[in-house]
Structure formats: C-alpha cells, structure tokens
Amino acid sequence: MTHDHPVAADRAVSRPFGRVLTAMVTPFTSDGSLDLDGAVRLANHLVDEQGNDALVLNGTTGESPTTTDAEKERLIRAVVEAIGDRARVVAGVGTNDTRHTIELAASAEKAGAHGLLVVTPYYNKPPQSGLVRHFTAVADATGLPIMLYDIPHRSGVPIETETLVRLAEHDRIVAVKDAKGDLTATSLVTGRTDLAFYSGEDSLVLPALAVGCVGVVGTSTHFTGALTQRMIEAYDAGDPGTALALHRRLLPLFTGVFRTQGTILVKAGLAALGLPAGPVRPPLVDATPDEIAQLRADCAAAGLELP
C-alpha cells in the first residue's frame, strides 16, 4: 500500500480550507435579533469540540436571505476575532446581483474573512456566460480566495463542467462547494483542474473523496464534525474500511438533519444541547415537537445523544 502516502500527501496540499467546514447557523436572541455572544460561543464549540478546520458564515444555513448586510459584517468580525488564530472563516457573499455580491465581498474582506463562498446567482437563471462574468467580476474585486458554490436545485442553474474549467484559470478561484449530486461531473472537473472540491452534501462525502474531493462543507457537522474529520482522515490514511464504517454510522444524521430545511433542525438540536441557536427568522419556522423527536431518534441511530 505504499501508494497511499504520496496520494494522501498530494491531496493534502490542495486543501485551502482544511478538511471539515461547517456552514454555521446564525444564533439569534429570543426576540430574533443577532446574538453575537452566542455566535462566538458556537464558533468556539465547532472548532474546539467538533474539530472544524473552518467555518462558513452567512450561508443559506446561516439564514443569509434574512440577515442584513450590517449583521453579516458584524458576525464575521466577531467570529474572526474569536477563532481566527485557530480556524479559517469563509464568508458567504453570494447573491443574484453581481454588484451586491462585490459589495458583500469587500465588506467581508474588511471584516477579516479568510475566504469567500460565492453561490451561483439564483432565480434569474443567467446563462453560462453570465456565470463566468459574475464569478470573474467578484474574483477580480477581492484579494481573498474564493470557493464557488454549485447548487442547482436551489439556484436553478448548474455551473457546467466547461464553465468550471474556465473559472479555474483565475488565480483566486480555488475551490468548489459541490452540491450538484453528480459525481461524474465532479470527476471530470477534478481530473482537469486544480480546484479543491468540497462535498456540499453530507451523505456524499465518502464517495466524493473517491473522485477527488478533499473535504466537506457540512450542515450535520454541527453535531458530527469530529467523526466526519475521522472519516476523512481514515480514507486519506488508506483505511477505507474504517471510513466506510463511520459513513454508515453517521448516515442517519447526515440525512436526518434535512428532513425539513436544515437550519430548522440544526437550531433545534443545538438548543437541546444547550448551545446558542435561538429561533429562525420567517419565512422559516421553528421545529415542531414531532420533528425534534425524530431528530433525537436520528441522532441516537448515529450513536450521538441529543438530550
């Protein structure tokens, strides 16, 4: 198995944001306002207890559609100050308006973010040439490394293989959060570019590693981060049996956290653990007692206790 070591070493150098990133929820107080103290507590927990290499702030899981630009900047500043010497902070800045995205990128850079997550413009369904123009304009306007976010079931438009290959030529476009669910397309791009692919679907992390992915930007990793880190490390070390056992163990939670919109169940689970979360903002709705009971069962099935 001597080939395992050079493969692992080669993979390690192309991990600009580490192995495990969590798309962190944004804690709110009981009245729905931003809870910065809670955000700092949660960020420290995710880094120190759940083994995250980086946190993604102001993503969809962080309720970016319903937080203001000022709240986004304050959140980045607080979390960077809390964990910036121990983990990286990636700021979600993507919108369906190129000008607004550039403004958010500048704000995040000023606030101390280490990288940017830029989602495909949603709802207005630009053609592939529009995606190239959008992502290139954002990359040209910042000094930070960029992770593209390819999630066609939310955005309405996939980032096609040839588009990704073209965008990979930009010095600052270094990674992809891949939530396309198409491992063939992933294989084609990882084979043709140096882009670091991170699975954007918790349940596909292990198979994604086999086609060139380097890690995960997760949601269930609020609870499974440390074990997901172990799973990826086992795969890298040439121990696919251990990795598969961990994948199978965690699968009930990898999938269970998405029985309804992921933010809803993560916040419910964090509240049960006594960690900062608070309510969700409309149009999301807080988890029902039945949904919380099911989440508790899914956690138990994964060998994790939810009080």
Side-chain angles (χ1 to χ4, degrees), residues 164-211:
L164 285 163
V165 170
R166 184 171 168 191
L167 289 167
E169 296 171 6
H170 199 293
D171 288 345
R172 282 183 292 282
I173 296 176
V174 301
V176 177
K177 179 182 177 184
D178 179 18
K180 192 181 284 177
D182 182 349
L183 292 180
T184 301
T186 302
S187 305
L188 291 169
V189 182
T190 57
R192 292 176 59 189
T193 74
D194 292 328
L195 289 170
F197 266 64
Y198 289 83
S199 177
E201 298 193 44
D202 298 20
S203 62
L204 290 183
V205 179
L206 183 56
L209 293 173
V211 296

mmCIF file of all heavy atoms in Angstrom, residues 164-211:
data_model
loop_
_atom_site.group_PDB
_atom_site.id
_atom_site.type_symbol
_atom_site.label_atom_id
_atom_site.label_comp_id
_atom_site.label_asym_id
_atom_site.label_seq_id
_atom_site.Cartn_x
_atom_site.Cartn_y
_atom_site.Cartn_z
ATOM 1 N N LEU A 164 -16.664 25.560 -15.172
ATOM 2 C CA LEU A 164 -15.775 25.373 -14.027
ATOM 3 C C LEU A 164 -14.314 25.311 -14.475
ATOM 4 O O LEU A 164 -13.437 25.900 -13.829
ATOM 5 C CB LEU A 164 -16.153 24.098 -13.266
ATOM 6 C CG LEU A 164 -17.417 24.202 -12.411
ATOM 7 C CD1 LEU A 164 -17.934 22.828 -12.036
ATOM 8 C CD2 LEU A 164 -17.148 25.034 -11.159
ATOM 9 N N VAL A 165 -14.059 24.612 -15.574
ATOM 10 C CA VAL A 165 -12.688 24.523 -16.084
ATOM 11 C C VAL A 165 -12.165 25.920 -16.444
ATOM 12 O O VAL A 165 -11.021 26.280 -16.125
ATOM 13 C CB VAL A 165 -12.637 23.578 -17.306
ATOM 14 C CG1 VAL A 165 -11.273 23.663 -18.000
ATOM 15 C CG2 VAL A 165 -12.924 22.144 -16.872
ATOM 16 N N ARG A 166 -13.018 26.711 -17.049
ATOM 17 C CA ARG A 166 -12.611 28.082 -17.418
ATOM 18 C C ARG A 166 -12.371 28.939 -16.182
ATOM 19 O O ARG A 166 -11.387 29.671 -16.087
ATOM 20 C CB ARG A 166 -13.696 28.692 -18.312
ATOM 21 C CG ARG A 166 -13.359 30.071 -18.843
ATOM 22 C CD ARG A 166 -14.385 30.484 -19.883
ATOM 23 N NE ARG A 166 -14.274 31.894 -20.208
ATOM 24 C CZ ARG A 166 -15.156 32.563 -20.918
ATOM 25 N NH1 ARG A 166 -16.241 31.942 -21.388
ATOM 26 N NH2 ARG A 166 -15.001 33.852 -21.175
ATOM 27 N N LEU A 167 -13.273 28.851 -15.210
ATOM 28 C CA LEU A 167 -13.133 29.663 -13.994
ATOM 29 C C LEU A 167 -11.908 29.259 -13.183
ATOM 30 O O LEU A 167 -11.324 30.088 -12.475
ATOM 31 C CB LEU A 167 -14.400 29.541 -13.147
ATOM 32 C CG LEU A 167 -15.640 30.238 -13.732
ATOM 33 C CD1 LEU A 167 -16.897 29.788 -13.006
ATOM 34 C CD2 LEU A 167 -15.484 31.755 -13.650
ATOM 35 N N ALA A 168 -11.508 27.995 -13.276
ATOM 36 C CA ALA A 168 -10.339 27.508 -12.535
ATOM 37 C C ALA A 168 -9.059 28.221 -12.951
ATOM 38 O O ALA A 168 -8.062 28.193 -12.215
ATOM 39 C CB ALA A 168 -10.174 26.007 -12.733
ATOM 40 N N GLU A 169 -9.074 28.877 -14.091
ATOM 41 C CA GLU A 169 -7.890 29.599 -14.552
ATOM 42 C C GLU A 169 -7.639 30.862 -13.735
ATOM 43 O O GLU A 169 -6.538 31.417 -13.763
ATOM 44 C CB GLU A 169 -8.050 29.956 -16.036
ATOM 45 C CG GLU A 169 -8.126 28.738 -16.947
ATOM 46 C CD GLU A 169 -8.500 29.116 -18.373
ATOM 47 O OE1 GLU A 169 -8.593 30.328 -18.677
ATOM 48 O OE2 GLU A 169 -8.706 28.183 -19.184
ATOM 49 N N HIS A 170 -8.666 31.327 -13.008
ATOM 50 C CA HIS A 170 -8.499 32.546 -12.206
ATOM 51 C C HIS A 170 -7.721 32.220 -10.931
ATOM 52 O O HIS A 170 -8.057 31.277 -10.211
ATOM 53 C CB HIS A 170 -9.854 33.138 -11.851
ATOM 54 C CG HIS A 170 -9.796 34.585 -11.429
ATOM 55 N ND1 HIS A 170 -9.184 35.002 -10.266
ATOM 56 C CD2 HIS A 170 -10.241 35.711 -12.040
ATOM 57 C CE1 HIS A 170 -9.286 36.321 -10.172
ATOM 58 N NE2 HIS A 170 -9.914 36.770 -11.241
ATOM 59 N N ASP A 171 -6.704 33.007 -10.641
ATOM 60 C CA ASP A 171 -5.824 32.731 -9.501
ATOM 61 C C ASP A 171 -6.577 32.633 -8.183
ATOM 62 O O ASP A 171 -6.162 31.900 -7.279
ATOM 63 C CB ASP A 171 -4.747 33.823 -9.379
ATOM 64 C CG ASP A 171 -3.703 33.735 -10.472
ATOM 65 O OD1 ASP A 171 -3.654 32.678 -11.147
ATOM 66 O OD2 ASP A 171 -2.958 34.706 -10.661
ATOM 67 N N ARG A 172 -7.640 33.403 -8.026
ATOM 68 C CA ARG A 172 -8.318 33.444 -6.725
ATOM 69 C C ARG A 172 -9.505 32.494 -6.621
ATOM 70 O O ARG A 172 -10.083 32.348 -5.546
ATOM 71 C CB ARG A 172 -8.736 34.884 -6.391
ATOM 72 C CG ARG A 172 -7.560 35.719 -5.901
ATOM 73 C CD ARG A 172 -7.950 37.114 -5.488
ATOM 74 N NE ARG A 172 -8.361 37.934 -6.614
ATOM 75 C CZ ARG A 172 -7.519 38.502 -7.478
ATOM 76 N NH1 ARG A 172 -6.215 38.341 -7.342
ATOM 77 N NH2 ARG A 172 -7.982 39.247 -8.468
ATOM 78 N N ILE A 173 -9.877 31.855 -7.708
ATOM 79 C CA ILE A 173 -10.938 30.842 -7.638
ATOM 80 C C ILE A 173 -10.259 29.501 -7.396
ATOM 81 O O ILE A 173 -9.648 28.925 -8.288
ATOM 82 C CB ILE A 173 -11.787 30.846 -8.924
ATOM 83 C CG1 ILE A 173 -12.509 32.197 -9.049
ATOM 84 C CG2 ILE A 173 -12.786 29.694 -8.897
ATOM 85 C CD1 ILE A 173 -13.318 32.360 -10.331
ATOM 86 N N VAL A 174 -10.337 29.037 -6.152
ATOM 87 C CA VAL A 174 -9.505 27.908 -5.731
ATOM 88 C C VAL A 174 -10.297 26.666 -5.324
ATOM 89 O O VAL A 174 -9.727 25.588 -5.173
ATOM 90 C CB VAL A 174 -8.579 28.314 -4.558
ATOM 91 C CG1 VAL A 174 -7.674 29.465 -4.964
ATOM 92 C CG2 VAL A 174 -9.382 28.672 -3.305
ATOM 93 N N ALA A 175 -11.612 26.814 -5.117
ATOM 94 C CA ALA A 175 -12.370 25.693 -4.547
ATOM 95 C C ALA A 175 -13.810 25.726 -5.029
ATOM 96 O O ALA A 175 -14.299 26.739 -5.551
ATOM 97 C CB ALA A 175 -12.322 25.733 -3.021
ATOM 98 N N VAL A 176 -14.498 24.602 -4.820
ATOM 99 C CA VAL A 176 -15.915 24.472 -5.160
ATOM 100 C C VAL A 176 -16.624 23.760 -4.009
ATOM 101 O O VAL A 176 -16.153 22.718 -3.543
ATOM 102 C CB VAL A 176 -16.120 23.656 -6.454
ATOM 103 C CG1 VAL A 176 -17.613 23.469 -6.748
ATOM 104 C CG2 VAL A 176 -15.427 24.319 -7.636
ATOM 105 N N LYS A 177 -17.734 24.339 -3.557
ATOM 106 C CA LYS A 177 -18.659 23.589 -2.708
ATOM 107 C C LYS A 177 -19.636 22.914 -3.659
ATOM 108 O O LYS A 177 -20.436 23.573 -4.335
ATOM 109 C CB LYS A 177 -19.402 24.492 -1.724
ATOM 110 C CG LYS A 177 -20.389 23.719 -0.848
ATOM 111 C CD LYS A 177 -21.165 24.621 0.102
ATOM 112 C CE LYS A 177 -22.185 23.794 0.880
ATOM 113 N NZ LYS A 177 -23.038 24.645 1.761
ATOM 114 N N ASP A 178 -19.548 21.601 -3.746
ATOM 115 C CA ASP A 178 -20.206 20.828 -4.782
ATOM 116 C C ASP A 178 -21.478 20.186 -4.237
ATOM 117 O O ASP A 178 -21.415 19.173 -3.554
ATOM 118 C CB ASP A 178 -19.232 19.764 -5.298
ATOM 119 C CG ASP A 178 -19.817 18.878 -6.378
ATOM 120 O OD1 ASP A 178 -20.834 19.272 -6.971
ATOM 121 O OD2 ASP A 178 -19.255 17.799 -6.618
ATOM 122 N N ALA A 179 -22.616 20.801 -4.526
ATOM 123 C CA ALA A 179 -23.898 20.240 -4.111
ATOM 124 C C ALA A 179 -24.741 19.886 -5.330
ATOM 125 O O ALA A 179 -25.968 19.931 -5.296
ATOM 126 C CB ALA A 179 -24.646 21.223 -3.216
ATOM 127 N N LYS A 180 -24.051 19.527 -6.413
ATOM 128 C CA LYS A 180 -24.741 19.160 -7.653
ATOM 129 C C LYS A 180 -25.249 17.727 -7.594
ATOM 130 O O LYS A 180 -26.202 17.365 -8.277
ATOM 131 C CB LYS A 180 -23.776 19.341 -8.832
ATOM 132 C CG LYS A 180 -24.421 19.277 -10.196
ATOM 133 C CD LYS A 180 -23.376 19.441 -11.292
ATOM 134 C CE LYS A 180 -22.922 20.873 -11.437
ATOM 135 N NZ LYS A 180 -21.865 21.050 -12.446
ATOM 136 N N GLY A 181 -24.599 16.895 -6.782
ATOM 137 C CA GLY A 181 -25.012 15.495 -6.682
ATOM 138 C C GLY A 181 -24.708 14.694 -7.929
ATOM 139 O O GLY A 181 -25.344 13.673 -8.189
ATOM 140 N N ASP A 182 -23.727 15.121 -8.698
ATOM 141 C CA ASP A 182 -23.357 14.463 -9.954
ATOM 142 C C ASP A 182 -21.873 14.122 -9.888
ATOM 143 O O ASP A 182 -21.019 14.929 -10.259
ATOM 144 C CB ASP A 182 -23.666 15.391 -11.128
ATOM 145 C CG ASP A 182 -23.349 14.778 -12.492
ATOM 146 O OD1 ASP A 182 -22.692 13.716 -12.533
ATOM 147 O OD2 ASP A 182 -23.749 15.377 -13.511
ATOM 148 N N LEU A 183 -21.564 12.911 -9.404
ATOM 149 C CA LEU A 183 -20.161 12.559 -9.194
ATOM 150 C C LEU A 183 -19.407 12.380 -10.501
ATOM 151 O O LEU A 183 -18.174 12.490 -10.536
ATOM 152 C CB LEU A 183 -20.060 11.295 -8.336
ATOM 153 C CG LEU A 183 -20.506 11.465 -6.874
ATOM 154 C CD1 LEU A 183 -20.362 10.156 -6.114
ATOM 155 C CD2 LEU A 183 -19.721 12.568 -6.173
ATOM 156 N N THR A 184 -20.120 12.132 -11.590
ATOM 157 C CA THR A 184 -19.450 12.073 -12.885
ATOM 158 C C THR A 184 -18.936 13.453 -13.271
ATOM 159 O O THR A 184 -17.778 13.611 -13.685
ATOM 160 C CB THR A 184 -20.401 11.543 -13.972
ATOM 161 O OG1 THR A 184 -20.853 10.242 -13.598
ATOM 162 C CG2 THR A 184 -19.709 11.480 -15.324
ATOM 163 N N ALA A 185 -19.786 14.462 -13.132
ATOM 164 C CA ALA A 185 -19.360 15.832 -13.421
ATOM 165 C C ALA A 185 -18.219 16.245 -12.495
ATOM 166 O O ALA A 185 -17.237 16.872 -12.931
ATOM 167 C CB ALA A 185 -20.542 16.793 -13.274
ATOM 168 N N THR A 186 -18.323 15.870 -11.221
ATOM 169 C CA THR A 186 -17.250 16.175 -10.271
ATOM 170 C C THR A 186 -15.940 15.544 -10.724
ATOM 171 O O THR A 186 -14.884 16.190 -10.711
ATOM 172 C CB THR A 186 -17.625 15.654 -8.874
ATOM 173 O OG1 THR A 186 -18.849 16.254 -8.460
ATOM 174 C CG2 THR A 186 -16.533 15.977 -7.858
ATOM 175 N N SER A 187 -16.008 14.283 -11.140
ATOM 176 C CA SER A 187 -14.811 13.570 -11.591
ATOM 177 C C SER A 187 -14.153 14.272 -12.769
ATOM 178 O O SER A 187 -12.919 14.379 -12.841
ATOM 179 C CB SER A 187 -15.171 12.146 -12.030
ATOM 180 O OG SER A 187 -15.842 11.448 -11.021
ATOM 181 N N LEU A 188 -14.967 14.744 -13.700
ATOM 182 C CA LEU A 188 -14.425 15.416 -14.880
ATOM 183 C C LEU A 188 -13.668 16.681 -14.498
ATOM 184 O O LEU A 188 -12.586 16.962 -15.017
ATOM 185 C CB LEU A 188 -15.560 15.743 -15.858
ATOM 186 C CG LEU A 188 -16.208 14.541 -16.549
ATOM 187 C CD1 LEU A 188 -17.475 14.971 -17.282
ATOM 188 C CD2 LEU A 188 -15.222 13.892 -17.516
ATOM 189 N N VAL A 189 -14.228 17.440 -13.565
ATOM 190 C CA VAL A 189 -13.591 18.715 -13.203
ATOM 191 C C VAL A 189 -12.368 18.487 -12.326
ATOM 192 O O VAL A 189 -11.334 19.133 -12.516
ATOM 193 C CB VAL A 189 -14.597 19.665 -12.521
ATOM 194 C CG1 VAL A 189 -13.920 20.996 -12.194
ATOM 195 C CG2 VAL A 189 -15.802 19.911 -13.426
ATOM 196 N N THR A 190 -12.454 17.559 -11.366
ATOM 197 C CA THR A 190 -11.274 17.321 -10.519
ATOM 198 C C THR A 190 -10.133 16.737 -11.335
ATOM 199 O O THR A 190 -8.961 16.910 -10.996
ATOM 200 C CB THR A 190 -11.605 16.394 -9.337
ATOM 201 O OG1 THR A 190 -12.137 15.151 -9.819
ATOM 202 C CG2 THR A 190 -12.603 17.041 -8.381
ATOM 203 N N GLY A 191 -10.472 16.049 -12.435
ATOM 204 C CA GLY A 191 -9.426 15.497 -13.294
ATOM 205 C C GLY A 191 -8.770 16.522 -14.205
ATOM 206 O O GLY A 191 -7.666 16.286 -14.700
ATOM 207 N N ARG A 192 -9.448 17.644 -14.417
ATOM 208 C CA ARG A 192 -8.948 18.620 -15.387
ATOM 209 C C ARG A 192 -8.465 19.923 -14.754
ATOM 210 O O ARG A 192 -7.900 20.771 -15.459
ATOM 211 C CB ARG A 192 -10.046 18.949 -16.399
ATOM 212 C CG ARG A 192 -10.404 17.782 -17.314
ATOM 213 C CD ARG A 192 -11.553 18.125 -18.237
ATOM 214 N NE ARG A 192 -11.250 19.290 -19.089
ATOM 215 C CZ ARG A 192 -12.158 19.889 -19.867
ATOM 216 N NH1 ARG A 192 -13.414 19.448 -19.879
ATOM 217 N NH2 ARG A 192 -11.812 20.922 -20.617
ATOM 218 N N THR A 193 -8.707 20.116 -13.468
ATOM 219 C CA THR A 193 -8.332 21.384 -12.822
ATOM 220 C C THR A 193 -7.671 21.103 -11.473
ATOM 221 O O THR A 193 -7.669 19.977 -10.985
ATOM 222 C CB THR A 193 -9.575 22.267 -12.563
ATOM 223 O OG1 THR A 193 -10.328 21.707 -11.463
ATOM 224 C CG2 THR A 193 -10.460 22.373 -13.787
ATOM 225 N N ASP A 194 -7.158 22.162 -10.865
ATOM 226 C CA ASP A 194 -6.610 22.081 -9.505
ATOM 227 C C ASP A 194 -7.622 22.565 -8.466
ATOM 228 O O ASP A 194 -7.253 22.798 -7.311
ATOM 229 C CB ASP A 194 -5.334 22.925 -9.401
ATOM 230 C CG ASP A 194 -4.187 22.338 -10.208
ATOM 231 O OD1 ASP A 194 -4.137 21.099 -10.322
ATOM 232 O OD2 ASP A 194 -3.366 23.111 -10.733
ATOM 233 N N LEU A 195 -8.869 22.754 -8.860
ATOM 234 C CA LEU A 195 -9.874 23.213 -7.912
ATOM 235 C C LEU A 195 -10.034 22.200 -6.777
ATOM 236 O O LEU A 195 -10.104 20.995 -7.018
ATOM 237 C CB LEU A 195 -11.226 23.399 -8.605
ATOM 238 C CG LEU A 195 -11.344 24.577 -9.579
ATOM 239 C CD1 LEU A 195 -12.657 24.480 -10.362
ATOM 240 C CD2 LEU A 195 -11.254 25.905 -8.825
ATOM 241 N N ALA A 196 -10.084 22.689 -5.556
ATOM 242 C CA ALA A 196 -10.322 21.838 -4.388
ATOM 243 C C ALA A 196 -11.826 21.681 -4.229
ATOM 244 O O ALA A 196 -12.533 22.651 -3.947
ATOM 245 C CB ALA A 196 -9.715 22.476 -3.145
ATOM 246 N N PHE A 197 -12.312 20.464 -4.421
ATOM 247 C CA PHE A 197 -13.751 20.203 -4.327
ATOM 248 C C PHE A 197 -14.116 19.771 -2.912
ATOM 249 O O PHE A 197 -13.504 18.865 -2.350
ATOM 250 C CB PHE A 197 -14.168 19.117 -5.318
ATOM 251 C CG PHE A 197 -14.660 19.652 -6.628
ATOM 252 C CD1 PHE A 197 -13.812 20.358 -7.465
ATOM 253 C CD2 PHE A 197 -15.978 19.462 -7.024
ATOM 254 C CE1 PHE A 197 -14.264 20.854 -8.676
ATOM 255 C CE2 PHE A 197 -16.438 19.958 -8.233
ATOM 256 C CZ PHE A 197 -15.588 20.661 -9.064
ATOM 257 N N TYR A 198 -15.116 20.448 -2.358
ATOM 258 C CA TYR A 198 -15.674 20.096 -1.055
ATOM 259 C C TYR A 198 -17.114 19.637 -1.279
ATOM 260 O O TYR A 198 -17.901 20.344 -1.912
ATOM 261 C CB TYR A 198 -15.660 21.302 -0.110
ATOM 262 C CG TYR A 198 -14.275 21.688 0.344
ATOM 263 C CD1 TYR A 198 -13.463 22.499 -0.449
ATOM 264 C CD2 TYR A 198 -13.766 21.229 1.557
ATOM 265 C CE1 TYR A 198 -12.180 22.840 -0.039
ATOM 266 C CE2 TYR A 198 -12.486 21.571 1.978
ATOM 267 C CZ TYR A 198 -11.694 22.383 1.172
ATOM 268 O OH TYR A 198 -10.430 22.716 1.579
ATOM 269 N N SER A 199 -17.443 18.466 -0.764
ATOM 270 C CA SER A 199 -18.813 17.993 -0.902
ATOM 271 C C SER A 199 -19.754 18.942 -0.173
ATOM 272 O O SER A 199 -19.542 19.282 0.987
ATOM 273 C CB SER A 199 -18.962 16.583 -0.325
ATOM 274 O OG SER A 199 -20.317 16.173 -0.407
ATOM 275 N N GLY A 200 -20.806 19.356 -0.862
ATOM 276 C CA GLY A 200 -21.833 20.170 -0.238
ATOM 277 C C GLY A 200 -23.018 19.345 0.222
ATOM 278 O O GLY A 200 -24.031 19.888 0.650
ATOM 279 N N GLU A 201 -22.889 18.024 0.114
ATOM 280 C CA GLU A 201 -23.928 17.108 0.583
ATOM 281 C C GLU A 201 -23.292 16.154 1.585
ATOM 282 O O GLU A 201 -22.411 15.361 1.238
ATOM 283 C CB GLU A 201 -24.528 16.347 -0.601
ATOM 284 C CG GLU A 201 -25.191 17.282 -1.607
ATOM 285 C CD GLU A 201 -26.051 16.538 -2.619
ATOM 286 O OE1 GLU A 201 -26.791 15.632 -2.200
ATOM 287 O OE2 GLU A 201 -25.965 16.880 -3.801
ATOM 288 N N ASP A 202 -23.746 16.225 2.814
ATOM 289 C CA ASP A 202 -23.114 15.485 3.901
ATOM 290 C C ASP A 202 -23.031 13.992 3.607
ATOM 291 O O ASP A 202 -22.021 13.342 3.866
ATOM 292 C CB ASP A 202 -23.885 15.699 5.207
ATOM 293 C CG ASP A 202 -23.907 17.161 5.651
ATOM 294 O OD1 ASP A 202 -23.671 18.053 4.800
ATOM 295 O OD2 ASP A 202 -24.161 17.419 6.831
ATOM 296 N N SER A 203 -24.096 13.428 3.020
ATOM 297 C CA SER A 203 -24.148 11.980 2.815
ATOM 298 C C SER A 203 -23.258 11.515 1.665
ATOM 299 O O SER A 203 -23.035 10.312 1.506
ATOM 300 C CB SER A 203 -25.591 11.538 2.552
ATOM 301 O OG SER A 203 -26.086 12.151 1.369
ATOM 302 N N LEU A 204 -22.743 12.434 0.848
ATOM 303 C CA LEU A 204 -21.906 12.058 -0.295
ATOM 304 C C LEU A 204 -20.418 12.299 -0.059
ATOM 305 O O LEU A 204 -19.615 12.157 -0.985
ATOM 306 C CB LEU A 204 -22.351 12.825 -1.548
ATOM 307 C CG LEU A 204 -23.701 12.435 -2.143
ATOM 308 C CD1 LEU A 204 -23.970 13.230 -3.413
ATOM 309 C CD2 LEU A 204 -23.759 10.936 -2.442
ATOM 310 N N VAL A 205 -20.032 12.653 1.164
ATOM 311 C CA VAL A 205 -18.625 12.978 1.410
ATOM 312 C C VAL A 205 -17.711 11.804 1.043
ATOM 313 O O VAL A 205 -16.740 11.968 0.303
ATOM 314 C CB VAL A 205 -18.382 13.382 2.879
ATOM 315 C CG1 VAL A 205 -16.902 13.692 3.101
ATOM 316 C CG2 VAL A 205 -19.220 14.600 3.246
ATOM 317 N N LEU A 206 -18.017 10.623 1.542
ATOM 318 C CA LEU A 206 -17.118 9.485 1.304
ATOM 319 C C LEU A 206 -17.014 9.128 -0.178
ATOM 320 O O LEU A 206 -15.900 9.033 -0.707
ATOM 321 C CB LEU A 206 -17.537 8.273 2.145
ATOM 322 C CG LEU A 206 -16.612 7.056 2.014
ATOM 323 C CD1 LEU A 206 -15.167 7.403 2.359
ATOM 324 C CD2 LEU A 206 -17.117 5.911 2.891
ATOM 325 N N PRO A 207 -18.123 8.937 -0.905
ATOM 326 C CA PRO A 207 -17.952 8.676 -2.336
ATOM 327 C C PRO A 207 -17.294 9.831 -3.077
ATOM 328 O O PRO A 207 -16.554 9.608 -4.038
ATOM 329 C CB PRO A 207 -19.384 8.422 -2.834
ATOM 330 C CG PRO A 207 -20.288 8.890 -1.765
ATOM 331 C CD PRO A 207 -19.530 8.797 -0.495
ATOM 332 N N ALA A 208 -17.523 11.055 -2.627
ATOM 333 C CA ALA A 208 -16.904 12.208 -3.292
ATOM 334 C C ALA A 208 -15.386 12.194 -3.133
ATOM 335 O O ALA A 208 -14.652 12.600 -4.041
ATOM 336 C CB ALA A 208 -17.483 13.507 -2.737
ATOM 337 N N LEU A 209 -14.899 11.716 -1.990
ATOM 338 C CA LEU A 209 -13.450 11.612 -1.802
ATOM 339 C C LEU A 209 -12.823 10.717 -2.867
ATOM 340 O O LEU A 209 -11.723 10.979 -3.354
ATOM 341 C CB LEU A 209 -13.128 11.055 -0.410
ATOM 342 C CG LEU A 209 -13.471 11.932 0.793
ATOM 343 C CD1 LEU A 209 -13.252 11.150 2.091
ATOM 344 C CD2 LEU A 209 -12.654 13.215 0.808
ATOM 345 N N ALA A 210 -13.549 9.673 -3.252
ATOM 346 C CA ALA A 210 -13.014 8.716 -4.214
ATOM 347 C C ALA A 210 -12.834 9.305 -5.601
ATOM 348 O O ALA A 210 -12.058 8.783 -6.403
ATOM 349 C CB ALA A 210 -13.926 7.490 -4.291
ATOM 350 N N VAL A 211 -13.545 10.405 -5.907
ATOM 351 C CA VAL A 211 -13.410 11.017 -7.233
ATOM 352 C C VAL A 211 -12.676 12.356 -7.162
ATOM 353 O O VAL A 211 -12.742 13.147 -8.090
ATOM 354 C CB VAL A 211 -14.780 11.175 -7.930
ATOM 355 C CG1 VAL A 211 -15.397 9.812 -8.182
ATOM 356 C CG2 VAL A 211 -15.721 12.073 -7.146
#
